[in-house]
Amino acid sequence: MAAKLPKVAYFCMEYALESSFKIYAGGLGILAGDYFKGVKDYGFPMVGIGIRWKQGYGEQVIDKATGRVYDAYKNAEHPFLEDTGVTVKVEIKGRDVAIKVWRVKSHGTDTLYLLDTDLEENDGEARWITGQLYGWFGEERVAQEMVLGIGGVRALQALKLKPDVYHFNEGHALFAGFELMRRRMARGAAFQDALAKTRQEVVFTTHTPIVQGNESHPIERFMYMGANLGLTRAQLERLGGSPFNMTVGALRLSRIANAVADLHRVTANAMWKGVKGRCPIIGITNAIHLPTWVDRKMLDLAAAATTPKRKQALWDRHMENKRRLVAFVEERNGVKLDPEVLTIGFSRRAAPYKRSNFIFTERKFIEPLLKEGRLQIVFSGKAHPLDDNGKAIVEDILDMTRRYPGRVVFLENYDMEIGAMLTRGADIWLNNPRRPKEASGTSGMKAAMNGVLNLSILDGWWPEACRHGINGWKFGDGFESADEAVLDRHDFKAFKKVLSEEVLPVYYGDRARWTDMMTASIQDTREAFGVKRMLDEYYQRMYKRA
Ligand SMILES: *Cc1c(COP(=O)(O)O)cnc(C)c1O
C-alpha cells in the first residue's frame, strides 16, 4: 500500500515527541509529534522538517513568596540526535547563515530532521535564530521562519529527498513556498506560472480561529531580510496582502487547506471568505497517538466491560490512575488530595479565550462544593511568554489555590508528563472556551480514551463526539455571542446546571452509570480520534492529487 502513496514533507515549528525533549510549546507540537509517531507505526511515506531549539519554550516558574509567575529559559536536552553531515545556507539580512541538519532517532520517529544555526561559523545573532521557540514576533520570527521554510527545502534537496507534496503545518513554513517558486523562476518561469506549479505541490493546515493568532509582517521586513527570494513588493502583496498575513499567503500558495475539526472548518471558511484566489478549506479533525496518551488497560477493560464484575475492574483501574495523580500532586506540590472526591482536571495554555478561571465565576456556587469536599480541581497551564493577560489568569488561579487549600491545586510548568498524568487520573475533563475559538482540543481526546469524562462547551472536536449523558456532557448548547459578557453569563448558567443536576448526582449516586459512561467514552473515541484515521484522511483528501 505504502508504495503507491505520495511522499510528503511535513513542516512544523515544534514537535512534542517526549516530555524531556523540549522542542515543543503546546497543541501544535503535540499534534505534530503524534503525527510522526503514527507515521512510524503505520509506515507512511513522510519526512518532517523542524528546528532544534537550543532553549525550547519558556519554562513557567512560580515565585512561592510573591505568587508571581515568570518564564525561565534553560538550554534544552537534545537526546536522540544524529548528525546527517549535511549543512545548507540561507541568506538572511545580507549574510549567509549556515544551517546544520540533524536527524531525530527516537522510538517515536526516524524520519524527522531538525535544523540548527547554533554553529561556530555563524555570528552571534545568527546562532540565536534557533534559540527560543516563539520567543519573538518581529524580525527574529521571520529569521526563524526563513530557516524552517527555505532551509527546510534546501535540506531536503541536500538529503536527496524528493517529496511529491509539501505540507505546511501552520503558516510558519510559508517561505518554503517562496523557495519552490524561486527555483522555478530561476529556470525561467514567470511569476504566475511558478505560482500555479508550486500550488500543485503544497497543502496547508490552519489552526487558529483567533485573528491575532494569525501572524503578519510588513512587506518591507521581508524585502530587507531577503525572505522575498526575488519576489517583488507587488507580487508579495498579491499573495499575502499588506501587511503580509502568513495564513492568507499560505491559503493562496496551496492547492488545498484544512481546518482541524468540522466546526473549525466552518469558522475558518467564514474567517477567510474575503480572500480572493485562495484554496478550499476542508475539515480533518485532529487525533492522538494512543500508545503515548492512553492507558492500554483502560482500553482493554472498556472493550470487555459487559458484566458487573468487569465494570468494577474498569472502575478499579481508573482509581489506580487517580491515586497515581494524587501521589504526583503530593510529590510536586506537597498537597494531599482525596481520591474519593470528584476531581476536575483542567490543563491548557492560559489564553483569555480558554477562560481557565471560568469555574470561579460565581464564588457562592463553587465555594460550598469545595469546602464541603464534594469537588477538587487540578489545574495546569502556561501563558505565552509575551501574554500578560494569560499570566494574570494563572495568578488568579494561584490565588484560588491559597483560598481553597487542599481542594484547588496548580501544577507548575505544564508539559507532556503533566498532560498525561491529568488526562488519566481526573474524573472529569473540563473544557470551557468561548465558542468557536477552540480549533480542536486534543487533550479532551486523551481524557475520553482514558475514561475521563468530558464536560465541555460544544467547541472544537467535541460536537463530533458528544452524546450528552452517555459518553460525557456538553453545556452552552452551541450558543455564540460577540458580546463576551453575554456569552460568559450564558455559559456559566449552563455549566452550573449540568454540574449540579447531572455530574455530581451521577458521580456520588450512580457509580454503575458513571462506569457505563466511561466505557462509552472510550469506545466512542478510540478509533474516530486515533492517529490512524487522521493520517488516512490526510493521504486520501489532502496529499493524493485529484
Ligand atoms: C494534549 C496537550 C496539549 C493540547 O491540548 P489542548 O486540548 O489543545 O489544550 C497541549 N499541551 C500539552 C502538554 C498536552 O499534553
Side-chain angles (χ1 to χ4, degrees), residues 295 297-298 301 311-325 339 341-343 422-428 447 450-453 507 511 514-515 518:
D295 178 8
K297 268 218 163 119
M298 288 299 283
L301 288 164
K311 290 178 190 186
Q312 183 64 38
L314 178 86
W315 175 256
D316 291 345
R317 177 67 184 181
H318 169 63
M319 284 304 287
E320 271 178 53
N321 288 335
K322 191 169 172 184
R323 278 191 286 270
R324 245 178 240 134
L325 170 65
V341 173
L342 175 67
T343 303
L422 270 172
T423 53
R424 287 180 189 204
D427 297 303
I428 286 287
N450 281 310
V452 173
L453 300 181
Y507 184 83
R511 190 57 43 85
W514 190 279
T515 316
M518 289 170 66

mmCIF file of all heavy atoms in Angstrom, residues 295 297-298 301 311-325 339 341-343 422-428 447 450-453 507 511 514-515 518:
data_model
loop_
_atom_site.group_PDB
_atom_site.id
_atom_site.type_symbol
_atom_site.label_atom_id
_atom_site.label_comp_id
_atom_site.label_asym_id
_atom_site.label_seq_id
_atom_site.Cartn_x
_atom_site.Cartn_y
_atom_site.Cartn_z
ATOM 1 N N ASP A 295 -4.014 4.726 28.570
ATOM 2 C CA ASP A 295 -3.720 3.553 29.375
ATOM 3 C C ASP A 295 -4.300 2.325 28.670
ATOM 4 O O ASP A 295 -5.514 2.173 28.557
ATOM 5 C CB ASP A 295 -4.360 3.749 30.762
ATOM 6 C CG ASP A 295 -4.140 2.553 31.662
ATOM 7 O OD1 ASP A 295 -3.367 1.635 31.294
ATOM 8 O OD2 ASP A 295 -4.752 2.528 32.750
ATOM 9 N N LYS A 297 -4.613 -0.628 29.534
ATOM 10 C CA LYS A 297 -5.511 -1.435 30.373
ATOM 11 C C LYS A 297 -6.938 -0.900 30.335
ATOM 12 O O LYS A 297 -7.895 -1.674 30.334
ATOM 13 C CB LYS A 297 -5.012 -1.414 31.831
ATOM 14 C CG LYS A 297 -4.076 -2.536 32.171
ATOM 15 C CD LYS A 297 -4.364 -3.017 33.607
ATOM 16 C CE LYS A 297 -3.760 -4.369 33.874
ATOM 17 N NZ LYS A 297 -2.771 -4.339 34.955
ATOM 18 N N MET A 298 -7.072 0.425 30.330
ATOM 19 C CA MET A 298 -8.412 1.003 30.266
ATOM 20 C C MET A 298 -9.085 0.641 28.936
ATOM 21 O O MET A 298 -10.268 0.325 28.900
ATOM 22 C CB MET A 298 -8.366 2.530 30.434
ATOM 23 C CG MET A 298 -8.046 3.004 31.839
ATOM 24 S SD MET A 298 -9.244 2.483 33.108
ATOM 25 C CE MET A 298 -10.595 3.611 32.798
ATOM 26 N N LEU A 301 -10.112 -3.033 29.206
ATOM 27 C CA LEU A 301 -11.218 -3.237 30.147
ATOM 28 C C LEU A 301 -12.526 -2.684 29.586
ATOM 29 O O LEU A 301 -13.588 -3.276 29.763
ATOM 30 C CB LEU A 301 -10.896 -2.595 31.502
ATOM 31 C CG LEU A 301 -9.818 -3.334 32.315
ATOM 32 C CD1 LEU A 301 -9.283 -2.455 33.434
ATOM 33 C CD2 LEU A 301 -10.368 -4.645 32.878
ATOM 34 N N LYS A 311 -17.121 -4.366 35.015
ATOM 35 C CA LYS A 311 -17.276 -2.919 35.178
ATOM 36 C C LYS A 311 -16.539 -2.445 36.422
ATOM 37 O O LYS A 311 -15.921 -1.383 36.429
ATOM 38 C CB LYS A 311 -18.763 -2.542 35.277
ATOM 39 C CG LYS A 311 -19.493 -2.731 33.958
ATOM 40 C CD LYS A 311 -20.962 -2.392 34.082
ATOM 41 C CE LYS A 311 -21.688 -2.835 32.824
ATOM 42 N NZ LYS A 311 -23.091 -2.439 32.783
ATOM 43 N N GLN A 312 -16.607 -3.270 37.453
ATOM 44 C CA GLN A 312 -15.876 -2.948 38.681
ATOM 45 C C GLN A 312 -14.371 -2.881 38.401
ATOM 46 O O GLN A 312 -13.665 -2.002 38.907
ATOM 47 C CB GLN A 312 -16.187 -4.010 39.753
ATOM 48 C CG GLN A 312 -15.532 -3.747 41.105
ATOM 49 C CD GLN A 312 -16.032 -2.459 41.759
ATOM 50 O OE1 GLN A 312 -17.217 -2.121 41.666
ATOM 51 N NE2 GLN A 312 -15.136 -1.706 42.405
ATOM 52 N N ALA A 313 -13.887 -3.802 37.570
ATOM 53 C CA ALA A 313 -12.451 -3.822 37.237
ATOM 54 C C ALA A 313 -12.043 -2.537 36.522
ATOM 55 O O ALA A 313 -10.968 -1.985 36.747
ATOM 56 C CB ALA A 313 -12.129 -5.044 36.377
ATOM 57 N N LEU A 314 -12.936 -2.043 35.666
ATOM 58 C CA LEU A 314 -12.668 -0.791 34.947
ATOM 59 C C LEU A 314 -12.580 0.363 35.944
ATOM 60 O O LEU A 314 -11.674 1.200 35.885
ATOM 61 C CB LEU A 314 -13.781 -0.534 33.932
ATOM 62 C CG LEU A 314 -13.677 0.763 33.121
ATOM 63 C CD1 LEU A 314 -12.799 0.556 31.886
ATOM 64 C CD2 LEU A 314 -15.052 1.252 32.671
ATOM 65 N N TRP A 315 -13.539 0.389 36.851
ATOM 66 C CA TRP A 315 -13.543 1.449 37.869
ATOM 67 C C TRP A 315 -12.278 1.365 38.736
ATOM 68 O O TRP A 315 -11.641 2.378 39.026
ATOM 69 C CB TRP A 315 -14.808 1.366 38.736
ATOM 70 C CG TRP A 315 -14.764 2.364 39.838
ATOM 71 C CD1 TRP A 315 -14.496 2.129 41.154
ATOM 72 C CD2 TRP A 315 -14.928 3.781 39.714
ATOM 73 N NE1 TRP A 315 -14.489 3.301 41.861
ATOM 74 C CE2 TRP A 315 -14.756 4.332 40.999
ATOM 75 C CE3 TRP A 315 -15.207 4.635 38.638
ATOM 76 C CZ2 TRP A 315 -14.841 5.705 41.236
ATOM 77 C CZ3 TRP A 315 -15.303 5.994 38.876
ATOM 78 C CH2 TRP A 315 -15.116 6.516 40.160
ATOM 79 N N ASP A 316 -11.906 0.142 39.114
ATOM 80 C CA ASP A 316 -10.719 -0.032 39.965
ATOM 81 C C ASP A 316 -9.461 0.474 39.266
ATOM 82 O O ASP A 316 -8.605 1.099 39.878
ATOM 83 C CB ASP A 316 -10.527 -1.513 40.344
ATOM 84 C CG ASP A 316 -11.619 -2.001 41.290
ATOM 85 O OD1 ASP A 316 -12.330 -1.146 41.866
ATOM 86 O OD2 ASP A 316 -11.777 -3.235 41.432
ATOM 87 N N ARG A 317 -9.374 0.190 37.968
ATOM 88 C CA ARG A 317 -8.198 0.661 37.233
ATOM 89 C C ARG A 317 -8.185 2.196 37.177
ATOM 90 O O ARG A 317 -7.141 2.823 37.315
ATOM 91 C CB ARG A 317 -8.222 0.074 35.816
ATOM 92 C CG ARG A 317 -7.081 0.562 34.954
ATOM 93 C CD ARG A 317 -5.743 0.054 35.452
ATOM 94 N NE ARG A 317 -4.633 0.608 34.671
ATOM 95 C CZ ARG A 317 -3.355 0.323 34.883
ATOM 96 N NH1 ARG A 317 -3.013 -0.500 35.868
ATOM 97 N NH2 ARG A 317 -2.410 0.851 34.150
ATOM 98 N N HIS A 318 -9.365 2.776 36.973
ATOM 99 C CA HIS A 318 -9.441 4.238 36.974
ATOM 100 C C HIS A 318 -8.969 4.784 38.325
ATOM 101 O O HIS A 318 -8.217 5.768 38.374
ATOM 102 C CB HIS A 318 -10.862 4.707 36.673
ATOM 103 C CG HIS A 318 -11.067 6.185 36.907
ATOM 104 N ND1 HIS A 318 -10.395 7.149 36.182
ATOM 105 C CD2 HIS A 318 -11.826 6.863 37.818
ATOM 106 C CE1 HIS A 318 -10.744 8.355 36.633
ATOM 107 N NE2 HIS A 318 -11.596 8.212 37.625
ATOM 108 N N MET A 319 -9.387 4.138 39.402
ATOM 109 C CA MET A 319 -8.975 4.602 40.734
ATOM 110 C C MET A 319 -7.461 4.484 40.922
ATOM 111 O O MET A 319 -6.854 5.316 41.589
ATOM 112 C CB MET A 319 -9.725 3.843 41.835
ATOM 113 C CG MET A 319 -11.169 4.296 42.019
ATOM 114 S SD MET A 319 -11.351 6.081 42.356
ATOM 115 C CE MET A 319 -10.762 6.154 44.062
ATOM 116 N N GLU A 320 -6.863 3.476 40.309
ATOM 117 C CA GLU A 320 -5.391 3.378 40.369
ATOM 118 C C GLU A 320 -4.770 4.592 39.685
ATOM 119 O O GLU A 320 -3.815 5.185 40.189
ATOM 120 C CB GLU A 320 -4.901 2.134 39.607
ATOM 121 C CG GLU A 320 -4.813 0.872 40.425
ATOM 122 C CD GLU A 320 -4.365 -0.293 39.542
ATOM 123 O OE1 GLU A 320 -3.312 -0.182 38.857
ATOM 124 O OE2 GLU A 320 -5.079 -1.319 39.499
ATOM 125 N N ASN A 321 -5.305 4.936 38.530
ATOM 126 C CA ASN A 321 -4.783 6.101 37.803
ATOM 127 C C ASN A 321 -5.006 7.382 38.602
ATOM 128 O O ASN A 321 -4.167 8.284 38.605
ATOM 129 C CB ASN A 321 -5.435 6.221 36.423
ATOM 130 C CG ASN A 321 -4.950 5.136 35.467
ATOM 131 O OD1 ASN A 321 -3.854 4.601 35.641
ATOM 132 N ND2 ASN A 321 -5.763 4.800 34.489
ATOM 133 N N LYS A 322 -6.142 7.427 39.275
ATOM 134 C CA LYS A 322 -6.446 8.620 40.065
ATOM 135 C C LYS A 322 -5.504 8.724 41.261
ATOM 136 O O LYS A 322 -4.995 9.803 41.563
ATOM 137 C CB LYS A 322 -7.906 8.538 40.526
ATOM 138 C CG LYS A 322 -8.439 9.822 41.120
ATOM 139 C CD LYS A 322 -9.951 9.703 41.286
ATOM 140 C CE LYS A 322 -10.540 10.860 42.054
ATOM 141 N NZ LYS A 322 -11.990 10.674 42.288
ATOM 142 N N ARG A 323 -5.236 7.602 41.907
ATOM 143 C CA ARG A 323 -4.308 7.632 43.039
ATOM 144 C C ARG A 323 -2.893 7.992 42.587
ATOM 145 O O ARG A 323 -2.155 8.644 43.308
ATOM 146 C CB ARG A 323 -4.328 6.297 43.790
ATOM 147 C CG ARG A 323 -5.501 6.219 44.781
ATOM 148 C CD ARG A 323 -5.378 5.025 45.718
ATOM 149 N NE ARG A 323 -5.686 3.793 44.999
ATOM 150 C CZ ARG A 323 -6.920 3.259 44.914
ATOM 151 N NH1 ARG A 323 -7.941 3.817 45.529
ATOM 152 N NH2 ARG A 323 -7.124 2.158 44.248
ATOM 153 N N ARG A 324 -2.553 7.590 41.364
ATOM 154 C CA ARG A 324 -1.255 7.990 40.826
ATOM 155 C C ARG A 324 -1.185 9.520 40.666
ATOM 156 O O ARG A 324 -0.174 10.138 40.965
ATOM 157 C CB ARG A 324 -1.025 7.334 39.461
ATOM 158 C CG ARG A 324 0.133 6.374 39.512
ATOM 159 C CD ARG A 324 0.344 5.668 38.194
ATOM 160 N NE ARG A 324 0.207 4.255 38.448
ATOM 161 C CZ ARG A 324 -0.481 3.398 37.732
ATOM 162 N NH1 ARG A 324 -1.103 3.786 36.640
ATOM 163 N NH2 ARG A 324 -0.544 2.137 38.072
ATOM 164 N N LEU A 325 -2.275 10.093 40.203
ATOM 165 C CA LEU A 325 -2.331 11.556 40.070
ATOM 166 C C LEU A 325 -2.232 12.219 41.450
ATOM 167 O O LEU A 325 -1.491 13.186 41.624
ATOM 168 C CB LEU A 325 -3.629 11.983 39.361
ATOM 169 C CG LEU A 325 -3.917 13.488 39.366
ATOM 170 C CD1 LEU A 325 -2.869 14.272 38.574
ATOM 171 C CD2 LEU A 325 -5.319 13.784 38.799
ATOM 172 N N PRO A 339 -8.683 10.947 47.099
ATOM 173 C CA PRO A 339 -9.062 10.169 45.906
ATOM 174 C C PRO A 339 -10.559 9.870 45.814
ATOM 175 O O PRO A 339 -11.040 9.490 44.747
ATOM 176 C CB PRO A 339 -8.242 8.885 46.027
ATOM 177 C CG PRO A 339 -7.628 8.880 47.365
ATOM 178 C CD PRO A 339 -7.720 10.240 47.960
ATOM 179 N N VAL A 341 -12.925 12.084 46.262
ATOM 180 C CA VAL A 341 -13.664 13.287 45.858
ATOM 181 C C VAL A 341 -13.650 13.448 44.326
ATOM 182 O O VAL A 341 -12.632 13.190 43.680
ATOM 183 C CB VAL A 341 -13.040 14.536 46.537
ATOM 184 C CG1 VAL A 341 -13.656 15.831 46.008
ATOM 185 C CG2 VAL A 341 -13.208 14.447 48.048
ATOM 186 N N LEU A 342 -14.786 13.875 43.783
ATOM 187 C CA LEU A 342 -14.887 14.145 42.343
ATOM 188 C C LEU A 342 -13.800 15.144 41.938
ATOM 189 O O LEU A 342 -13.731 16.252 42.481
ATOM 190 C CB LEU A 342 -16.266 14.715 42.000
ATOM 191 C CG LEU A 342 -16.469 15.159 40.539
ATOM 192 C CD1 LEU A 342 -16.435 13.972 39.587
ATOM 193 C CD2 LEU A 342 -17.779 15.926 40.370
ATOM 194 N N THR A 343 -12.958 14.735 40.988
ATOM 195 C CA THR A 343 -11.784 15.534 40.642
ATOM 196 C C THR A 343 -11.892 16.069 39.216
ATOM 197 O O THR A 343 -12.038 15.297 38.266
ATOM 198 C CB THR A 343 -10.505 14.673 40.786
ATOM 199 O OG1 THR A 343 -10.456 14.183 42.135
ATOM 200 C CG2 THR A 343 -9.254 15.479 40.492
ATOM 201 N N LEU A 422 -2.716 14.017 34.118
ATOM 202 C CA LEU A 422 -4.048 14.594 34.362
ATOM 203 C C LEU A 422 -5.137 13.957 33.500
ATOM 204 O O LEU A 422 -6.261 13.759 33.966
ATOM 205 C CB LEU A 422 -4.023 16.096 34.071
ATOM 206 C CG LEU A 422 -3.667 16.993 35.235
ATOM 207 C CD1 LEU A 422 -3.483 18.426 34.761
ATOM 208 C CD2 LEU A 422 -4.766 16.948 36.285
ATOM 209 N N THR A 423 -4.818 13.653 32.250
ATOM 210 C CA THR A 423 -5.852 13.084 31.382
ATOM 211 C C THR A 423 -6.069 11.589 31.653
ATOM 212 O O THR A 423 -6.869 10.951 30.995
ATOM 213 C CB THR A 423 -5.536 13.295 29.880
ATOM 214 O OG1 THR A 423 -4.217 12.803 29.605
ATOM 215 C CG2 THR A 423 -5.614 14.772 29.506
ATOM 216 N N ARG A 424 -5.363 11.051 32.628
ATOM 217 C CA ARG A 424 -5.643 9.680 33.080
ATOM 218 C C ARG A 424 -6.285 9.676 34.449
ATOM 219 O O ARG A 424 -7.116 8.821 34.756
ATOM 220 C CB ARG A 424 -4.353 8.866 33.188
ATOM 221 C CG ARG A 424 -3.783 8.503 31.869
ATOM 222 C CD ARG A 424 -2.508 7.697 32.025
ATOM 223 N NE ARG A 424 -1.886 7.561 30.717
ATOM 224 C CZ ARG A 424 -1.050 6.598 30.387
ATOM 225 N NH1 ARG A 424 -0.709 5.690 31.271
ATOM 226 N NH2 ARG A 424 -0.544 6.545 29.184
ATOM 227 N N GLY A 425 -5.855 10.617 35.286
ATOM 228 C CA GLY A 425 -6.206 10.498 36.698
ATOM 229 C C GLY A 425 -7.381 11.339 37.161
ATOM 230 O O GLY A 425 -7.868 11.145 38.275
ATOM 231 N N ALA A 426 -7.847 12.287 36.332
ATOM 232 C CA ALA A 426 -9.007 13.082 36.756
ATOM 233 C C ALA A 426 -10.279 12.265 36.529
ATOM 234 O O ALA A 426 -10.259 11.226 35.866
ATOM 235 C CB ALA A 426 -9.054 14.380 35.964
ATOM 236 N N ASP A 427 -11.398 12.708 37.102
ATOM 237 C CA ASP A 427 -12.692 12.083 36.792
ATOM 238 C C ASP A 427 -13.360 12.817 35.639
ATOM 239 O O ASP A 427 -14.034 12.210 34.817
ATOM 240 C CB ASP A 427 -13.623 12.147 38.014
ATOM 241 C CG ASP A 427 -13.078 11.380 39.194
ATOM 242 O OD1 ASP A 427 -12.811 10.165 39.034
ATOM 243 O OD2 ASP A 427 -12.900 11.984 40.277
ATOM 244 N N ILE A 428 -13.178 14.121 35.650
ATOM 245 C CA ILE A 428 -13.854 14.992 34.685
ATOM 246 C C ILE A 428 -12.804 15.836 33.977
ATOM 247 O O ILE A 428 -11.883 16.353 34.616
ATOM 248 C CB ILE A 428 -14.812 15.951 35.432
ATOM 249 C CG1 ILE A 428 -16.050 15.209 35.927
ATOM 250 C CG2 ILE A 428 -15.235 17.130 34.564
ATOM 251 C CD1 ILE A 428 -17.021 14.838 34.820
ATOM 252 N N ALA A 447 -8.325 12.415 27.394
ATOM 253 C CA ALA A 447 -9.175 12.141 28.555
ATOM 254 C C ALA A 447 -10.235 11.108 28.182
ATOM 255 O O ALA A 447 -10.392 10.086 28.869
ATOM 256 C CB ALA A 447 -9.812 13.437 29.040
ATOM 257 N N ASN A 450 -9.216 7.606 28.088
ATOM 258 C CA ASN A 450 -8.823 7.054 29.388
ATOM 259 C C ASN A 450 -10.026 6.909 30.324
ATOM 260 O O ASN A 450 -9.854 6.630 31.506
ATOM 261 C CB ASN A 450 -7.779 7.960 30.045
ATOM 262 C CG ASN A 450 -6.384 7.732 29.466
ATOM 263 O OD1 ASN A 450 -5.926 6.602 29.368
ATOM 264 N ND2 ASN A 450 -5.716 8.806 29.068
ATOM 265 N N GLY A 451 -11.220 7.155 29.793
ATOM 266 C CA GLY A 451 -12.414 7.049 30.627
ATOM 267 C C GLY A 451 -12.612 8.247 31.543
ATOM 268 O O GLY A 451 -13.365 8.173 32.510
ATOM 269 N N VAL A 452 -11.924 9.335 31.262
ATOM 270 C CA VAL A 452 -12.114 10.588 31.998
ATOM 271 C C VAL A 452 -13.190 11.365 31.242
ATOM 272 O O VAL A 452 -13.013 11.685 30.058
ATOM 273 C CB VAL A 452 -10.784 11.376 32.084
ATOM 274 C CG1 VAL A 452 -10.996 12.759 32.683
ATOM 275 C CG2 VAL A 452 -9.758 10.579 32.882
ATOM 276 N N LEU A 453 -14.316 11.628 31.876
ATOM 277 C CA LEU A 453 -15.478 12.137 31.143
ATOM 278 C C LEU A 453 -15.350 13.620 30.818
ATOM 279 O O LEU A 453 -15.052 14.437 31.689
ATOM 280 C CB LEU A 453 -16.751 11.876 31.944
ATOM 281 C CG LEU A 453 -17.031 10.397 32.250
ATOM 282 C CD1 LEU A 453 -18.343 10.251 33.038
ATOM 283 C CD2 LEU A 453 -17.100 9.570 30.969
ATOM 284 N N TYR A 507 -21.999 10.987 39.874
ATOM 285 C CA TYR A 507 -20.742 10.553 40.499
ATOM 286 C C TYR A 507 -20.978 9.984 41.895
ATOM 287 O O TYR A 507 -20.459 8.915 42.237
ATOM 288 C CB TYR A 507 -19.741 11.718 40.572
ATOM 289 C CG TYR A 507 -18.401 11.268 41.116
ATOM 290 C CD1 TYR A 507 -17.462 10.671 40.278
ATOM 291 C CD2 TYR A 507 -18.088 11.418 42.466
ATOM 292 C CE1 TYR A 507 -16.241 10.230 40.774
ATOM 293 C CE2 TYR A 507 -16.867 10.979 42.972
ATOM 294 C CZ TYR A 507 -15.950 10.378 42.122
ATOM 295 O OH TYR A 507 -14.754 9.933 42.618
ATOM 296 N N ARG A 511 -22.811 5.020 40.613
ATOM 297 C CA ARG A 511 -21.500 4.611 40.128
ATOM 298 C C ARG A 511 -21.585 3.705 38.899
ATOM 299 O O ARG A 511 -20.760 3.776 37.993
ATOM 300 C CB ARG A 511 -20.754 3.908 41.286
ATOM 301 C CG ARG A 511 -19.296 3.600 41.084
ATOM 302 C CD ARG A 511 -18.410 4.770 40.750
ATOM 303 N NE ARG A 511 -18.578 6.004 41.470
ATOM 304 C CZ ARG A 511 -18.038 6.315 42.648
ATOM 305 N NH1 ARG A 511 -17.311 5.445 43.306
ATOM 306 N NH2 ARG A 511 -18.221 7.508 43.177
ATOM 307 N N TRP A 514 -21.982 5.859 35.950
ATOM 308 C CA TRP A 514 -20.709 6.549 35.673
ATOM 309 C C TRP A 514 -19.762 5.616 34.916
ATOM 310 O O TRP A 514 -19.130 5.987 33.924
ATOM 311 C CB TRP A 514 -20.076 7.024 36.989
ATOM 312 C CG TRP A 514 -18.900 7.929 36.778
ATOM 313 C CD1 TRP A 514 -17.618 7.582 36.489
ATOM 314 C CD2 TRP A 514 -18.920 9.363 36.817
ATOM 315 N NE1 TRP A 514 -16.832 8.692 36.347
ATOM 316 C CE2 TRP A 514 -17.606 9.812 36.552
ATOM 317 C CE3 TRP A 514 -19.916 10.320 37.068
ATOM 318 C CZ2 TRP A 514 -17.254 11.158 36.522
ATOM 319 C CZ3 TRP A 514 -19.562 11.659 37.045
ATOM 320 C CH2 TRP A 514 -18.241 12.074 36.767
ATOM 321 N N THR A 515 -19.694 4.381 35.394
ATOM 322 C CA THR A 515 -18.794 3.413 34.759
ATOM 323 C C THR A 515 -19.243 3.108 33.324
ATOM 324 O O THR A 515 -18.417 2.994 32.412
ATOM 325 C CB THR A 515 -18.724 2.118 35.588
ATOM 326 O OG1 THR A 515 -18.604 2.475 36.958
ATOM 327 C CG2 THR A 515 -17.547 1.276 35.213
ATOM 328 N N MET A 518 -18.043 5.910 31.260
ATOM 329 C CA MET A 518 -16.600 5.786 30.983
ATOM 330 C C MET A 518 -16.381 4.818 29.807
ATOM 331 O O MET A 518 -15.587 5.088 28.897
ATOM 332 C CB MET A 518 -15.863 5.265 32.216
ATOM 333 C CG MET A 518 -15.766 6.265 33.349
ATOM 334 S SD MET A 518 -15.151 5.507 34.890
ATOM 335 C CE MET A 518 -13.489 5.092 34.418
#
